[in-house]
Amino acid sequence: MEPLFYRPKDAATLLGMSRTAVFRLIKTGELKSIKEDGYRLVPRWALAEFARTLEARAGLVRTEDVA
């Protein structure tokens, strides 16, 4: 089963970027996260939402999204 939440380091690996870049995205609000008991978690849905936003900005359209 896929995790529901990722630590920023793991989110960075999945996104193919640095941990610093992920924290920058969290700080600007581009990537949603939760702070719980002193540590940060990125929901799985937030990674998918961020990826869709990047694709839309680049003008990419997924074939499965086209009717």
Side-chain angles (χ1 to χ4, degrees):
M1 187 166 139
E2 202 175 336
L4 294 174
F5 298 95
Y6 294 93
R7 301 293 300 263
K9 176 185 168 192
D10 301 320
T13 300
L14 289 169
L15 292 170
M17 51 181 61
S18 70
R19 184 176 164 274
T20 302
V22 166
F23 275 108
R24 190 177 316 117
L25 291 168
I26 290 169
K27 185 175 180 177
T28 63
E30 291 181 76
L31 181 61
K32 306 295 184 222
S33 71
I34 300 164
K35 191 162 187 183
E36 180 66 30
D37 289 333
Y39 55 90
R40 181 119 355 231
L41 297 171
V42 179
R44 179 176 54 206
W45 63 263
L47 294 173
E49 183 179 279
F50 176 71
R52 281 191 296 275
T53 300
L54 286 181
E55 290 168 344
R57 272 192 229 156
L60 298 176
V61 179
R62 292 180 183 205
T63 54
E64 66 265 19
D65 291 343
V66 177

